[in-house]
Amino acid sequence: MRRIKALRCRECGSEYPIEPLHVCEYCFGPLEVEYDYDALSKLVTHESIAKGPTSLWRYYDLLPVDSPLHECVDLGGGFTPLVEATRLGEKLGVRRLYIKNDTVNPTWSFKDRVVSVAVTKAKEFGFDTVACASTGNLANSLAAHAAKVGMRCFVFVPADIELSKVVGSLVYGPQLVAVEGNYDEVNRLCVEVASRFGWAFVNINIRPYYSEGSKTIALEVLEQLNWKAPEHIVVPVASGSLLTKVWKGIKECYRIGLIESVRTKVHGAQPSGCAPVVNAFKLGASMPKPVKPQTIVKSLAIGNPADGIYALRAIRESGGVAEEVTDEEVVEAIKLLAETEGIWAETAGGVTIAVLKKLIRQGIIKRDELTVALVTGSGIKTSEVVCESLREPIRIQPRLKAFEEALQKLQL
Amino acid sequence: MAVRRYHLTFPKELVTEPVIYYLGKDFNVITNIRRANVDQDGGWVDLEIEGDEEEIERAVESLKRKGVGVDPIERQVIE
Ligand SMILES: Cc1ncc(COP(=O)(O)O)c(C=O)c1O
Ligand SMILES: [Zn+2]
């Protein structure tokens, strides 16, 4: 049974074959994978999914790949815990709060979901080289997955980045290319490299397939809630792809009969120093205006987001809102999550939790409503942002009395 | 000959100026608008530019000097 129909332009609806294409030749709109939902309705059931592997590939049927399951590139990404956050919920004043803990992925972020799908598709298309431009999570994940399947891997970065920042990619053995140019020049070069060389640039020419991997986080949440859609989901937004696909995933589950209703409000979370989608939402604009990012939240610092317009549409269609938080609120939220739930999030997770807090305070999320917050990356990668605001250690002499005295002073 | 696709962002001040007309007049390039949305507060244009690579570069530089935001059609690809 053919599950995948075609690529379709999101703007004019033109159809294209399943090939490494990403832009519509007519209107320059982005292309998106379209499935045969009648076929999927017959193929996919709660039971068929439950029989699948314990990784993101348990949603194989809803992903745009043709390789048999055992050939799909798999580092074990996905199938992460959905944790009932009672202590955090108590602090924030809600009773049914869950954290989707994607910090525990193989390279410690949700990017393992998109990259697994992208590298699988790149292999299917016959590429021997994968590439990306990234100083963080995407490069970490791509380099690791390329290593797993023995593909050549190029990672492009602006030349002024400190090498210590990219160790988490270099350890897997990719070729790093440090480009001497300003940000816009590096950005443009990468697009030109992607079109000139026969390489799979995962977030450029493989993007329609790559981005579908994001859906799996939403599918897991639904399955973990026994196929019940939450009332709210809070999603961090950079390029806008994750949020767009969370919404698409929920709608697809409804369409093929996996959930009974679509009632989830999808809320977008951005740092104030880079909030083009939030700005557009609050202004009632149809399209985000580019901004120059200035924030500690490097993983969400995309000033001109590729899918910003679609994220905006998804937020509005679902009845959600977009909200921003300051860098200080982000640091506070990282600590709050760690101290109440034992989960150490990177700055993007801090944005999610800080926005969650704000939405509860504004009464948008109510006390008894089923709410999920996506924590998409591990704090271990951005430890520098919290290290100055942690509890001071106490220093004592190696005597029991000294410790007793110190303890008394602390009044813990 | 090369073909490049750009997403241009126009600030409010430039909305009334025939920026793209001058691109074809001042440089040896062919421009082709695919999609656009412009109002009194600014706007965007998805544009194809065809010509010699250096000539396209010069045209792009002139757009930037005027204050037009020039990004690839894919927007920002560095994550
Ligand atoms: C940890 C983390 N969370 C969220 C995002 C946002 O993803 P998207 O670009 O799909 O909006 C990113 C990446 O950009 C990320 O690295
Ligand atoms: Zn189109």
Side-chain angles (χ1 to χ4, degrees), chain A residues 53-59 69-81 100-117 119-120 141 144-146 148-149 172 213 216 220 224:
Chain A
T54 52
S55 74
L56 64 100
W57 290 112
R58 71 199 273 107
Y59 309 104
L69 188 57
H70 67 274
E71 284 176 20
C72 292
V73 182
D74 188 11
L75 278 182
F79 207 63
T80 59
K100 181 61 172 167
N101 182 6
D102 248 27
T103 68
V104 300
N105 274 301
T107 70
W108 304 286
S109 89
F110 94 100
K111 291 285 173 188
D112 289 328
R113 299 176 181 277
V114 280
V115 167
S116 299
V117 176
V119 176
T120 300
S141 183
H145 284 82
K148 171 76 176 164
V149 289
Y172 304 107
T216 61
E220 277 175 32
Q224 286 165 318

Side-chain angles (χ1 to χ4, degrees), chain A residues 22 25 111 187 203 304, chain B residues 34 71 74-75 77 79:
Chain A
H22 66 296
E25 283 305 314
K111 291 285 173 188
N187 196 59
N203 62 340
N304 193 359
Chain B
R34 294 306 177 89
D71 288 295
E74 291 84 356
R75 317 290 168 86
V77 301
E79 299 220 337

Side-chain angles (χ1 to χ4, degrees), chain A residues 228-378:
Chain A
K228 197 162 156 206
E231 284 157 289
H232 302 274
I233 187 162
V234 185
V235 186
V237 174
S239 75
S241 169
L242 173 62
L243 187 143
T244 307
K245 296 294 179 166
V246 162
W247 182 230
K248 182 172 188 253
I250 294 172
K251 286 197 298 185
E252 283 179 353
C253 282
Y254 174 69
R255 195 154 169 192
I256 64 174
L258 292 175
I259 54 173
E260 274 173 13
S261 63
V262 178
R263 58 164 188 177
T264 310
K265 294 187 167 75
V266 181
H267 306 292
Q270 293 196 299
S272 300
C274 182
V277 172
V278 176
N279 296 343
F281 179 83
K282 291 187 173 173
L283 286 170
S286 64
M287 175 104 135
K289 263 203 192 124
V291 301
K292 283 249 176 292
Q294 202 158 39
T295 169
I296 59 168
V297 188
K298 301 297 175 214
S299 55
L300 300 183
I302 294 191
N304 193 359
D307 291 311
I309 183 170
Y310 304 106
L312 201 52
R313 279 185 204 165
I315 291 166
R316 287 180 176 143
E317 197 183 309
S318 74
V321 301
E323 193 52 90
E324 62 187 285
V325 287
T326 65
D327 286 357
E328 292 74 39
E329 289 174 299
V330 171
V331 173
E332 277 310 305
I334 291 173
K335 289 199 303 180
L336 179 65
L337 178 64
E339 288 169 7
T340 53
E341 297 299 332
I343 296 170
W344 186 14
E346 69 137 88
T347 47
V351 171
T352 298
I353 299 302
V355 165
L356 168 72
K357 185 174 168 184
K358 217 164 167 175
L359 298 185
I360 293 169
R361 209 183 298 136
Q362 292 168 356
I364 290 169
I365 295 175
K366 301 198 173 62
R367 188 172 171 76
D368 290 315
E369 290 176 333
L370 184 57
T371 301
V372 175
L374 301 187
V375 172
T376 48
S378 166

Side-chain angles (χ1 to χ4, degrees), chain A residues 21 43 132 190-191 241 267 279 308 363:
Chain A
L21 304 168
L43 194 64
C132 72
C190 291
V191 172
S241 169
H267 306 292
N279 296 343

